[in-house]
Amino acid sequence: MPGTSPDRWSRVWRERLPDDPLDVVHAEPAAAVAAVLAGDVDAAVLRLPPAPADGAALTPPPGLPTTTPTTRDGWAVVPLWTETTVVVVPADHVLTVLDEVDVADLAGETLLVPADDVLGWTPAGVDVVEVPDAATGADLVASGAGLLVVPHAIARLHDRRGTTVRPVPDAPGSRLALVWRTDAEHPHAQELVGIVRGRTAGSSRGDATVATGAGRGTGRDGRSGRDGRGGDAPPPRRTGRPTPRTPGRGDGRPRGGGGRRTR
């Protein structure tokens, strides 16, 4: 699905199982569960809805499958990592003076909410404008029409010139998991689990079918810490509240906060 990069997994698979090719099929997140149920694929990497803090039933956002796989319903669900949520802002926006953004900092802003939203979360105090998809939202951010709140990998996928991102640590993260139907488990399913979790060929496979509580701090290749590809990293130290940009600097960058510019 968009925002994942299975090339490394495919390379390791070819090394370990050269006689059994791994076919990678790209699909929209909302179609992943249906593809497994239809038998079009043996397993899928998909996003799960953010876990509700009060234990209420999960309500999938519009960009995710209407049915959330659970072990109670005959699915194997292997948590992979929880991806940090970021806000995409114009490069000269006042929020760029911060290394990270609190949810409260978003109040009063115009928030672009795509029809393929995978978070299902809107901060309080924002003006919501619905847009067709995340790609359109990124284009509108570049034009100064508003801000976009998405998982980090989605922001990278739709990177635009003139925009930058800042993590929002207190926003819900996007949980990713590997799933398949237990009544149609492929003989190499456990081998795939080991590969996506970064285990070596000789390591113990352990119990792959676990609940859907993915934890923060796990990188895309199964290792903890900063992996540079969408896994959570230790949040940078906050440098202060946003302050207006001082004109006349000449390089287009705001004075004051010293946050690193990224795209």
Side-chain angles (χ1 to χ4, degrees):
M1 63 176 182
T4 57
S5 301
D7 293 347
R8 179 180 183 276
W9 301 337
S10 297
R11 184 176 67 255
V12 176
W13 182 282
R14 289 193 298 269
E15 294 170 354
R16 297 185 188 180
L17 300 165
D19 297 327
D20 293 287
L22 175 67
D23 295 326
V24 178
V25 179
H26 296 276
E28 294 301 314
V33 168
V36 176
L37 291 174
D40 296 333
V41 296
D42 298 296
V45 175
L46 67 137
R47 296 183 185 274
L48 303 176
D54 56 4
L58 294 174
T59 302
L64 296 186
T66 55
T67 300
T68 301
T70 67
T71 55
R72 299 186 304 273
D73 299 323
W75 290 85
V77 182
V78 183
L80 299 179
W81 66 88
T82 298
E83 189 175 345
T84 298
T85 295
V86 301
V87 58
V88 186
V89 301
D92 60 352
H93 195 279
V94 66
L95 289 178
T96 59
V97 304
L98 302 176
D99 288 332
E100 60 185 35
V101 174
D102 285 343
V103 169
D105 295 331
L106 300 175
E109 299 286 351
T110 297
L111 185 68
L112 307 170
V113 178
D116 56 359
D117 173 43
V118 298
L119 289 176
W121 171 81
T122 303
V126 299
D127 296 323
V128 173
V129 175
E130 297 181 356
V131 296
D133 49 41
T136 301
D139 292 336
L140 291 172
V141 172
S143 71
L147 311 183
L148 183 66
V149 174
V150 290
H152 192 195
I154 299 298
R156 290 200 318 273
L157 179 66
H158 301 301
D159 181 36
R160 299 291 188 270
R161 182 182 298 276
T163 67
T164 189
V165 303
R166 290 293 184 267
V168 188
D170 50 347
S174 179
R175 302 178 298 153
L176 284 90
L178 173 68
V179 304
W180 66 86
R181 292 291 302 176
T182 56
D183 57 2
E185 180 171 316
H186 191 277
H188 294 319
Q190 299 300 328
E191 191 70 42
L192 180 60
V193 172
I195 291 172
V196 300
R197 283 188 158 179
R199 291 198 292 259
T200 61
S203 64
S204 173
R205 291 179 179 177
D207 183 7
T209 306
V210 294
T212 60
R216 286 186 176 273
T218 303
R220 185 178 300 275
D221 59 359
R223 296 174 297 179
S224 297
R226 194 184 307 270
D227 65 5
R229 294 175 295 164
D232 280 340
R237 183 172 60 86
R238 185 175 176 84
T239 61
R241 306 293 297 175
T243 55
R245 183 165 65 96
T246 302
R249 182 181 180 102
D251 59 359
R253 293 180 296 167
R255 289 185 183 272
R260 184 177 60 188
R261 295 180 60 148
T262 58
R263 269 191 263 174

